[in-house]
Amino acid sequence: MTYQLTIEPLGQTIDIEEGQTVLDACLRAGVWLPHACGHGLCGTCKVQTLEGELDHGEASPFALMDFEREEAKCLACCARPMSDMVIEADIEPDPDAQCLPLMDFTAEVVRIKALTPTIKGVFLRIEGESLQFQPGQYVNVWIGKEAAPRAFSVASAPSANEIELNIRLVPGGSATTYVHEQLGVGERLQLSGPLGRFFVRKSDPRPLVFMAGGSGLSSPRSMILDLLESGDQREIVLVQGARNAGELYYRDAFETIARQHDNFTYLPVLSGEPEQSDWAGERGYVHDLAGRHFSHDFRGWRAYLCGPPPMIEACIATLMQGRLFEKDIFTEKFLSAADASQATRSPLFRSL
């Protein structure tokens, strides 16, 4: 059975199937709702039900309190319709968002490359209809025998013939261990995408600083390649951090890009490189180098951050101390079912 779901304040009405979650229906119709864990644990996708009846599903009583249920709130990732519905979500139209519908794909692994001792580059060829995405977005991938998908940012530009994922080995992580130890060329994977609200606001002409750590380089790489391919002339700075030189991947490629494009500056920095090594570059952390390069004044810039949470928090603090504030700082955090219930917002941000 099909119901009608109306999303306010957009005023848009879409179809939603019986048994389908509100979040899934919205994403597949190209309507973005704030969300994170997708398991009813974090509360990010909480919306107000204005009309209709629903099944709350497996929403955690901590993410959706009893009094909130009585106030007709629900978690979009768990809620399923029992009638036509009208919901109100905390969303605003964004002129730079392409509103691409979430779709399902089968992809063949065509190459696997060791980018660092702990990061694999997995290159996929999509079968059938191509995956349309905005640089910075991610896909959910079903790996091995895992029941739940894992989220990985797309590291390639939309113009590429293959989808590149940079997958870091997580100690004890069954999915990433499978990728690093068992995944082979020719294997087919199921994935869905695009997902995420992390993309360059191209309508704003201000210069851009990207701060990336570890495999968090994926999204900035996709964004930067796309910007430069399109002929964008604004000033672009990439600050890339890693523990040591062995973990600093795509360094040669970015140095080549910097020589080819006068508007692109590449700043690598290592936090744990042995003192006796032949590394002659910067040492420290991403936020340290960014602060030094910009003389602790980020006014007039827009920042895009991607990396481990401690790095992101340190970068946010440095940016805000340098007079750049929330509306001009963008980031994306991925939360697993295991850690979503422990997730907190940045103490420096109202909306992160």
Side-chain angles (χ1 to χ4, degrees):
M1 184 173 183
T2 302
Y3 297 111
Q4 296 292 296
L5 173 63
T6 301
I7 306 102
E8 299 293 354
L10 302 180
Q12 184 171 345
T13 299
I14 64 173
D15 290 339
I16 180 170
E17 300 296 328
E18 185 176 16
Q20 186 179 22
T21 67
V22 169
L23 178 61
D24 187 70
C26 288
L27 295 178
R28 291 184 183 279
V31 178
W32 178 82
L33 293 183
H35 63 282
C37 75
H39 305 287
L41 299 175
C42 70
T44 304
C45 64
K46 194 175 297 177
V47 298
Q48 180 72 46
T49 305
L50 301 179
E51 297 179 19
E53 298 181 4
L54 59 90
D55 178 353
H56 284 286
E58 298 179 355
S60 163
F62 299 101
L64 186 68
M65 302 289 188
D66 288 341
F67 75 89
E68 292 178 309
R69 297 173 191 244
E70 294 173 0
E71 293 173 351
K73 291 182 171 62
C74 69
L75 300 186
C77 70
C78 296
R80 292 173 169 81
M82 298 173 65
S83 69
D84 291 343
M85 292 179 60
V86 180
I87 63 169
E88 184 176 38
D90 184 19
I91 53 176
E92 296 179 2
D94 188 321
D96 292 298
Q98 295 182 13
C99 300
L100 300 168
L102 174 67
M103 298 177 65
D104 300 319
F105 301 91
T106 298
E108 180 185 358
V109 179
V110 292
R111 285 190 295 141
I112 300 175
K113 180 179 180 180
L115 299 174
T116 79
T118 63
I119 300 174
K120 294 279 192 183
V122 178
F123 298 82
L124 305 173
R125 181 179 297 121
I126 302 294
E127 299 179 356
E129 188 173 353
S130 62
L131 168 64
Q132 304 296 317
F133 68 95
Q134 286 188 266
Q137 291 189 298
Y138 68 93
V139 294
N140 277 337
V141 185
W142 280 260
I143 296 173
K145 297 181 180 179
E146 297 293 315
R150 300 299 191 271
F152 299 106
S153 296
V154 179
S156 46
S159 60
N161 294 325
E162 301 168 344
I163 298 296
E164 179 182 350
L165 308 178
N166 298 160
I167 301 179
R168 181 177 67 88
L169 177 62
V170 177
S174 58
T176 61
T177 297
Y178 180 90
V179 169
H180 279 252
E181 297 182 0
Q182 296 179 253
L183 185 69
V185 172
E187 186 167 339
R188 284 173 167 75
L189 301 175
Q190 302 301 311
L191 60 88
S192 62
L195 291 155
R197 201 69 166 178
F198 191 51
F199 54 85
V200 175
R201 275 64 181 178
K202 291 185 176 181
S203 63
D204 189 310
R206 281 178 287 178
L208 306 172
V209 54
F210 295 90
M211 301 181 182
S215 60
L217 180 66
S218 300
S219 290
R221 179 173 183 266
S222 179
M223 293 166 155
I224 291 167
L225 291 177
D226 179 66
L227 286 165
L228 296 177
E229 284 179 8
S230 68
D232 198 296
Q233 293 300 306
R234 81 185 80 191
E235 190 173 356
I236 301 169
V237 175
L238 169 63
V239 187
Q240 180 190 3
R243 289 187 179 90
N244 53 61
E247 294 291 336
L248 190 71
Y249 70 106
Y250 282 135
R251 173 190 173 192
D252 291 345
F254 281 120
E255 289 177 342
T256 299
I257 293 171
R259 290 192 293 270
Q260 295 171 340
H261 297 271
D262 293 337
N263 61 321
F264 175 65
T265 300
Y266 175 55
L267 303 173
V269 60
L270 303 180
S271 62
E273 180 71 4
E275 290 295 334
Q276 65 272 21
S277 77
D278 59 0
W279 172 254
E282 296 282 352
R283 294 174 183 267
Y285 295 95
V286 169
H287 65 283
D288 295 326
L289 178 53
R292 293 195 297 270
H293 179 78
F294 286 90
S295 299
H296 300 282
D297 186 350
F298 296 93
R299 287 176 293 181
W301 289 73
R302 283 196 142 187
Y304 290 81
L305 320 179
C306 201
M311 186 216 85
I312 289 177
E313 292 298 331
C315 288
I316 290 173
T318 297
L319 291 167
M320 296 185 78
Q321 289 165 5
R323 306 289 298 278
L324 193 70
F325 301 109
E326 182 176 350
K327 64 183 178 64
D328 294 318
I329 302 173
F330 303 91
T331 188
E332 180 82 290
K333 288 185 178 180
F334 299 147
L335 301 175
S336 69
D339 62 16
S341 61
Q342 305 299 318
T344 58
R345 290 185 176 183
S346 166
L348 303 175
F349 269 21
R350 293 188 302 275
S351 60
L352 177 60

